[in-house]
Amino acid sequence: MFNPSKEKTYMPVQDANVRNKNFDEVSLGYDCNSAINEANRCLNCKNTPCVSGCPVGVKIPDFIGKIKEGKFEEAYEIINNTNTLAAICGRVCPQENQCEKNCVRAKNGEAVAIGRLERFVADFHLNNSSDDNIKKVASKNQKVAVIGSGPAGLSCASELAKRGYQVTIFEALHLAGGVLVYGIPEFRLPKSIVQKQIDHLISLGVEIKTNVVIGKTITIEELKNTYNYKAIFIASGAGLPRFMNIENENANGVYSANEYLTRINLMKAYKETSDTPIVKANKVAVVGGGNVAMDAARCAKRMGAKEVYIIYRRSKEEMPARQEEVEHALEEGIEFKFLTNPISIGKDSNNFVNKIRCVKMKLGEPDASNRRSPIVIENSEFDIEVDCVIMAIGTSPNPLIRNSLSDLKVEKWGGIIVDEETNATSIESIYAGGDAVTGSATVILAMGAGKKAADSIDKYLSLKK
Amino acid sequence: MFKIIKKEILNPTVTLMKIEAPLIAKNAKAGQFVILRVSSDGERIPLTIADYDNNTITIIFQIVGATTYKLNQLNENDTILDVVGPLGNPTNTKDYKKVIVIGGGVGCAIAYPVAKQFHLEKSNVTSIIGFRNKDLIILENEFKQVSNQFYILTDDGSYNKKGFVTNQLEELLKQDSSYDLVIAIGPLVMMKAVCNLTKIYNVKTIVSMNSIMIDGTGMCGCCRLTVDGKTRFACIDGPDFDGHSIDFDEAIERSKMYHSIERNAYDHVCNLLKEEKKNV
């Protein structure tokens, strides 16, 4: 029965004042009834505007149709045909800028909660199925190496394994998952869910080798010649943190968001049992306006900081962070300093940060990114007292692979240059995708690139046989 | 998992371990390091590769914190949970004919493979190694074997000549202006003192920066330091840098970032292990 409600069906969340002291997942997800109720808001539009907003083209009205019928496992199969990381994308995709942005229901009320429904279906599948039943596809004898186990690497490996290739993923850290495990915090994306997706890959026959840095432990040449990999997919991400190059940025207590989040997420600094040291700060300033800034700020709060500020040089409208994360951060007591930009950091005699000096900004004409560019308001300097600063102003592609592969063509800023149609690099049999090509972007775009590269690698290797 | 083939107590606070790690050993070169992790939820710590052969790498570490304490509890045939490497850029040992290699304390573990590599490349090697006292001496014979001239000093004079490595260095630089490189590896204050001296005598000086690190691949930025006014990462831009361009004072302050936290963690781990022993 059609649900005419103008608002999304409520998804329960942990109370803001409880959750800002723990690392358990914030959103609790739909149950079957609320999922069906929300699915019934979908108009099943013939021209499927939502699908055209999805970077990987998930057949959204089809899977929602199955939810309406209560056939959740069938709904999962529909999503899984185009998106093998549904439980992750349902949680971290910026739906409001993609599928939900185009939803006809959004013209008069709220869009259908496509992200929440995707998450529900994926969780239903994870809780009610087991990988034991999966048949490993008969193996082709061609080996493919995937460098990096983040979203791009995982999706490429999954596609190739399904087509029968022998796939090995090489991961530099001790745990697979890339940014999904070192970057995105437990309260937004539980690590058990990432692990289930990785276990699923292993059940498909994918081999994962952790503690291997390609370009150092094994070179690309060795992958090809010594280990006989016929194609290589570079998905090494954009891990190199940017700094602002302002005074005292190397003072103690100034972190890159990567370092702060890695210490907490990957190295579990929030647990009593962890040996990982981290500065226990009272007043924290996070610089930046993306999801990473929200994650860092909300982690700082959970680590016990009394005051946490997000310093962003534009206004709320221009923030690239997911809407839900901004709202959750506000509810949890994070204080936003919009139209504010740091110009220097102050430190005490022990080299520890004690303040951040900022200027006020106003918005001018739209710039290259189509956002109104911030302009400094003169004589507007002011100090905020802090004992920790976290820089979350973006990352660049990791240089290790390109430094060890002189023939690889890269952009000036470090991104690997690929053919847009095939994701092929300048070197035969080597493909690349995800943040290593685009610079820091979203999980879903990286996944899409991994899938596209898998198609190209399949074509390339089929011809070579 | 990485098996410990050999464990040797070099002195009360310094231990040598030979670890089975064929992949790392194959591509390892002097000056590079590994990052290891002893337990799940444990810290990742960088340690320099002190030696390597076809199948193994050797690490030499000082017991300073919770992780090195736990590492030192492991014995031959035990395994280390994670070891990744070789990381960082190898030391350039090709372009120099007459070099002075300086090692201070446990820094000798890093200086030794560098001295050995220079020796293999047929450079004339003068080694100066210094320790606080006689009990802390490591790698004396190893250094002797790869050095054309060899000097060993102790701060308190309890073994051989009394003094700092810089005293010996200055003596040599005064007599002979034909050295084309000094490499200094040891405590930051020692490397700073060496650089101040070689600046006066105008001898190129390379130091190896053993900063705090997590991933060792350029991802976290916690190993950053200022070189020639620019921020660089020890893990991917180093660990070797031109010593005359480094902001040592900043590096010294940064190295103290977790001192108090680490001290507590160390005491905590020691107490836990003592408790366990009592209860067994």
Side-chain angles (χ1 to χ4, degrees), chain A residues 255-263, chain B residues 214 219-222 224 258:
Chain A
Y255 288 97
S256 74
N258 263 4
E259 179 185 356
Y260 191 74
L261 290 171
T262 301
R263 283 181 184 275
Chain B
I214 298 181
M219 197 190 86
C220 75
C222 78
R224 65 191 190 274
Y258 295 113

Side-chain angles (χ1 to χ4, degrees), chain A residues 125-420:
Chain A
H125 170 78
L126 287 177
N127 293 330
N128 294 287
S129 71
S130 113
D131 285 336
D132 301 342
N133 302 327
I134 290 173
K135 289 167 255 161
K136 280 184 199 167
V137 193
S139 215
K140 292 176 179 159
N141 62 3
Q142 287 158 301
K143 287 165 68 178
V144 181
V146 172
I147 305 171
S149 62
L154 293 179
S155 78
C156 182
S158 155
E159 288 300 322
L160 289 168
K162 282 189 209 162
R163 296 175 205 192
Y165 291 98
Q166 298 175 33
V167 185
T168 311
I169 300 180
F170 295 96
E171 168 56 47
L173 291 169
H174 56 261
L175 192 65
V179 71
L180 305 173
V181 297
Y182 76 70
I184 305 177
E186 177 77 17
F187 58 81
R188 197 149 79 81
L189 177 63
K191 301 310 144 210
S192 59
I193 285 174
V194 181
Q195 194 53 50
K196 279 181 187 168
Q197 299 276 4
I198 287 164
D199 291 345
H200 175 71
L201 267 192
I202 294 170
S203 77
L204 287 176
V206 173
E207 184 186 20
I208 299 180
K209 286 192 183 290
T210 52
N211 291 324
V212 177
V213 182
I214 298 299
K216 291 285 182 188
T217 315
I218 300 175
T219 63
I220 298 259
E221 284 301 301
E222 286 174 316
L223 280 182
K224 283 185 178 175
N225 302 330
T226 314
Y227 298 100
N228 214 17
Y229 287 96
K230 296 299 179 198
I232 295 167
F233 178 57
I234 304 174
S236 49
L240 196 72
R242 286 195 206 124
F243 289 94
M244 293 187 79
N245 298 317
I246 56 177
E247 191 188 347
N248 292 330
E249 208 170 10
N250 293 347
N252 294 355
V254 181
Y255 288 97
S256 74
N258 263 4
E259 179 185 356
Y260 191 74
L261 290 171
T262 301
R263 283 181 184 275
I264 291 171
N265 299 323
L266 180 74
M267 322 252 304
K268 313 287 179 210
Y270 69 92
K271 286 190 186 171
E272 280 285 320
T273 51
S274 173
D275 294 333
T276 306
I278 194 156
V279 167
K280 295 262 162 50
N282 268 319
K283 295 181 175 186
V284 179
V286 179
V287 183
N291 286 322
V292 175
M294 302 303 127
D295 287 346
R298 296 169 72 195
C299 280
K301 192 81 188 177
R302 282 162 173 76
M303 294 298 288
K306 300 221 165 42
E307 289 163 42
V308 181
Y309 308 100
I310 284 184
I311 298 177
Y312 181 56
R313 59 193 183 132
R314 303 181 208 240
S315 69
K316 192 179 175 189
E317 286 66 46
E318 288 82 21
M319 277 185 116
R322 246 178 128 229
Q323 196 183 322
E324 191 185 4
E325 311 313 328
V326 179
E327 282 161 14
H328 283 169
L330 277 166
E331 289 166 11
E332 288 166 16
I334 310 291
E335 201 177 312
F336 285 76
K337 302 267 184 194
F338 293 116
L339 292 167
T340 302
N341 204 32
I343 51 167
S344 70
I345 291 168
K347 61 177 188 177
D348 63 20
S349 54
N350 294 319
N351 200 47
F352 274 83
V353 54
N354 61 8
K355 67 181 176 203
I356 184 162
R357 176 159 295 177
C358 301
V359 284
K360 292 274 186 199
M361 312 291 281
K362 61 183 177 189
L363 290 178
E365 296 299 307
D367 63 9
S369 72
N370 235 344
R371 295 179 297 180
R372 294 177 65 192
S373 60
I375 304 165
V376 178
I377 299 175
E378 284 197 31
N379 302 320
S380 65
E381 285 179 21
F382 68 104
D383 291 346
I384 308 174
E385 217 178 274
V386 290
D387 50 5
C388 176
V389 172
I390 302 169
M391 291 294 174
I393 53 168
T395 51
S396 311
N398 194 297
L400 276 183
I401 289 171
R402 66 171 189 262
N403 287 351
S404 69
L405 204 59
S406 53
D407 295 344
L408 188 71
K409 285 204 177 120
V410 296
E411 304 278 4
K412 261 194 193 141
W413 50 269
I416 298 170
I417 298 174
V418 296
D419 180 302
E420 273 186 33

